[in-house]
Amino acid sequence: MRKHFALIALLYMSSADAASITYAGKADCRVVEHARVTGHIAYWNGACNDGYASGPGALQWSKDGKPTERYEGTLSKGVPEGAGISQWADSSLHEGTYRDGMLQGPAVVIFTGGKKLESNFEQDKPVGNVKFGSPGDDQYEGGWQDGPEGYGTMTFFMGGAYRGQWRKGRPDGDGEILYPNGRVLKGRFNGSFHLTAQPELPVVSNLYTIKEQSAAIGSNIRGTASGGFDVPPEKSYAQLTPEQQQLVKRDYAVLQDDDAPPYPEKGILEISRAMQSLISYKDAIGELHVNVGVDEQGVAQNVTLLKSPDSESGKLAAAMFMHLRFTPGRCAGQPCAMVVPFRFTLRYKK
């Protein structure tokens, strides 16, 4: 796979240990200190009752003068109780209903980086089926135990899906590949989305370059216009070696040995030269990341701009990608629509 699914260990900790409860804050307005904020200073902006922080408000924890964790919602005797949202020190958000300081019932956790987990919670831990993913990325729905476990479906942003059994975050047991064109491939999976053993990805020792179209005045040697390519930029997918094709296919989890992703008809040389002209025309310097949706005929249907040096350069680049022709992807012997990612670093030649 292009992305090894990282098991998300939620590592929820109880807000209080019944055997030994530690308090923080003012003596007449105490809050319960839990494991993540041991030794931190508590600031409560809300009402107090019988010596405890109680009712709606905001609880800010800090250490060495810097904010660490924050809770906004209701407290009861210094402990989150009822609807609330907590922001941990790692910037993750935990929103739902709290009971005795722990999430209980339907809740949402948004991790640093934007991935979201939706589930029912019991004592701060997700139970039953979950929904996990983020916009513009792979989406999972099914059983969960610190990652996909049991039966579930992973829908891949690049195209296609896997539906079946999981173990420790990997496909394991009976399952099926759901291709974008509706074809279904059933089999027994063993830790990989491929039904046959895959060789290790080849190590790219020498990156490929693109030469200038003409030599400088007074020279017969063409300089390097751009570089950093894993595969020869002038070759079509069919002209690449099996090892080079494997490098291209690494982004596509569902593709098996005889499948192929969409690929620019003339290789990536044409669009790379277009990016060079963008630098010259718009002074565009920086990262350009786009995803191109390609249909079964090899025609670009949409361009998703993820990052660009500026908005105008992004619009021009998107128009260039929309005119690029592709060899269609092939899934189970038939054309299929998939996404093609492009990542460029635009900079002046030194």
Side-chain angles (χ1 to χ4, degrees), residues 157-219:
F157 174 73
M158 301 296 289
Y162 166 82
R163 180 172 61 200
Q165 295 296 321
W166 296 78
R167 183 173 178 271
K168 295 183 178 180
R170 295 183 177 275
D172 191 282
D174 293 333
E176 52 191 13
I177 294 295
L178 309 177
Y179 284 114
N181 58 9
R183 293 296 183 100
V184 177
L185 175 65
K186 297 183 178 182
R188 188 163 184 83
F189 295 80
N190 185 25
S192 170
F193 298 112
H194 292 93
L195 287 171
T196 59
Q198 296 295 297
E200 292 290 329
L201 280 174
V203 176
V204 181
S205 55
N206 295 311
L207 297 176
Y208 294 88
T209 62
I210 295 175
K211 295 293 186 180
E212 296 280 7
Q213 292 181 287
S214 59
I217 297 175
S219 173

Side-chain angles (χ1 to χ4, degrees), residues 23 26-31 44 46-56 75-79:
Y23 292 97
K26 297 180 180 179
D28 61 348
C29 197
R30 295 173 295 172
V31 295
W44 168 245
C48 306
N49 187 28
D50 293 333
Y52 298 98
S54 297
L75 294 186
S76 176
K77 291 188 176 181
V79 177

Side-chain angles (χ1 to χ4, degrees), residues 84 104 119 135 181 210 224 263 308 324:
Q104 187 76 18
S119 179
N181 58 9
I210 295 175
T224 299
Y263 197 74
S308 69
L324 192 62

Side-chain angles (χ1 to χ4, degrees), residues 293-342:
V294 180
D295 68 12
E296 295 89 343
Q297 285 74 47
V299 178
Q301 294 297 306
N302 56 75
V303 174
T304 302
L305 188 64
L306 304 176
K307 184 183 291 188
S308 69
D310 56 77
S311 59
E312 190 172 350
S313 296
K315 291 177 182 177
L316 287 172
M320 293 175 180
F321 282 103
M322 285 297 293
H323 286 90
L324 192 62
R325 289 290 304 183
F326 294 82
T327 300
R330 292 192 69 80
C331 302
Q334 297 295 322
C336 58
M338 302 191 89
V339 172
V340 183
F342 290 91

Side-chain angles (χ1 to χ4, degrees), residues 14-88:
S14 173
S15 294
D17 184 336
S20 61
I21 299 177
T22 303
Y23 292 97
K26 297 180 180 179
D28 61 348
C29 197
R30 295 173 295 172
V31 295
V32 173
E33 179 185 277
H34 57 81
R36 292 189 308 276
V37 293
T38 300
H40 296 203
I41 298 175
Y43 300 89
W44 168 245
N45 182 13
C48 306
N49 187 28
D50 293 333
Y52 298 98
S54 297
L59 174 60
Q60 179 68 61
W61 295 89
S62 67
K63 185 176 183 180
D64 299 328
K66 298 180 181 180
T68 53
E69 187 165 313
R70 181 179 178 86
Y71 169 82
E72 296 181 3
T74 304
L75 294 186
S76 176
K77 291 188 176 181
V79 177
E81 187 78 18
I85 181 170
S86 180
Q87 182 177 40
W88 291 13

Side-chain angles (χ1 to χ4, degrees), residues 252-269:
Y252 301 87
V254 302
L255 296 184
Q256 306 297 307
D257 291 345
D258 295 331
D259 300 329
Y263 197 74
E265 281 186 347
K266 300 179 181 179
I268 52 180
L269 176 63

